[in-house]
Structures are given as C-alpha cells and as structure tokens.
Amino acid sequence: MNTVSSATSLNAEANGRREFFTKAATAAALVVGAAPANAVRDYENIEYLGGGSIADLNNANIRAYLKMPGMYPTVAGKIVTNGPYSSVGDLYKIPGLSSREAEVIKKYEGKFTTKTPSPDYVIDRYNNGLYR
C-alpha cells in the first residue's frame, strides 16, 4: 500500500511540474511573440551601403570599396576609420593621406555621397565579421 501511495504522489508531482512548465512556456511565447523587432528594415539610404554605384562615406562597409580598384584595403581603411564626413571634400583632410591615395580618391569622387551616420551601420563599417 505504501508503494502505491508513493507512486500516486510522484505522478501528481510530475503532472504538477508538467502543467507549470507548459503554462510558463506558453506565457514566454506570448511575451516573445509580442516583442517588436529592433532591426531597421526600411533604411532609406540602403542603396548607398555598397550594393549600388554610389557609396555613402559615413555608413557603407569597408567591403563596398572592393568594386573600386586601388581603394581596398588601404584607402578604404582610412576612409572608414576617419569619418564621419560632412562632405566628400572632407576625405582630403584624412590624416596621413598620401598624394597617391588622394589621386585614387579623386578618381572615384563622383561615386561617393555623405548621409547622416546611422548607428545601425556605423558600428560595422570596418569589421563586419566577414573573413576569408
């Protein structure tokens, strides 16, 4: 009789835990499901992040300069580490910029623009986690 009583007690305890965790999981799913997304999905300047023919000096990733021979990695590295820029002309004020590097920038000057720096993109300008 004592064994039957213990088994019944354990089953009730297991059922109570199961019910508790089911309710907790359901509540957590409701909370997580209702949370807003923090990602910027409709960034108005997305075309200037490197996918088009014009690159935004303040937000484009270093890899955007791969399409411009002579820019990557040295000149591109100087550009992304010395921003933000208020105009394209600010590029010529980069400390340590050589005359050869200035010539390369001049060659592509028409392919640059300056938009307001966006924290969502500025954080990954130099190292975006893509490795060879």
Side-chain angles (χ1 to χ4, degrees):
M1 184 77 171
N2 193 10
T3 309
V4 173
S5 174
S6 290
T8 305
S9 172
L10 288 175
N11 283 339
E13 188 177 315
N15 287 336
R17 275 192 243 151
R18 185 177 300 121
E19 183 179 336
F20 170 77
F21 284 116
T22 300
K23 287 180 182 178
T26 302
L30 290 174
V31 170
V32 171
N38 293 326
V40 177
R41 295 181 357 189
D42 295 325
Y43 178 62
E44 67 272 5
N45 296 317
I46 199 151
E47 66 205 63
Y48 303 114
L49 295 179
S53 61
I54 298 177
D56 176 10
L57 296 172
N58 291 323
N59 295 299
N61 188 279
I62 192 169
R63 297 178 71 80
Y65 302 97
L66 282 169
K67 297 186 281 184
M68 303 173 197
M71 291 288 291
Y72 186 85
T74 306
V75 180
K78 288 183 178 183
I79 290 172
V80 300
T81 57
N82 285 285
Y85 305 98
S86 57
S87 70
V88 175
D90 288 350
L91 289 175
Y92 300 103
K93 299 174 188 172
I94 294 174
L97 189 70
S98 71
S99 59
R100 170 70 181 111
E101 292 166 338
E103 289 174 18
V104 172
I105 290 173
K106 183 72 174 166
K107 178 179 175 182
Y108 296 107
E109 197 175 57
K111 293 185 174 255
F112 301 134
T113 188
T114 55
K115 303 293 181 185
T116 304
S118 172
D120 297 323
Y121 298 101
V122 171
I123 194 168
D124 290 331
R125 289 183 59 215
Y126 188 73
N127 181 3
N128 65 351
L130 297 176
Y131 304 100
R132 290 183 185 205

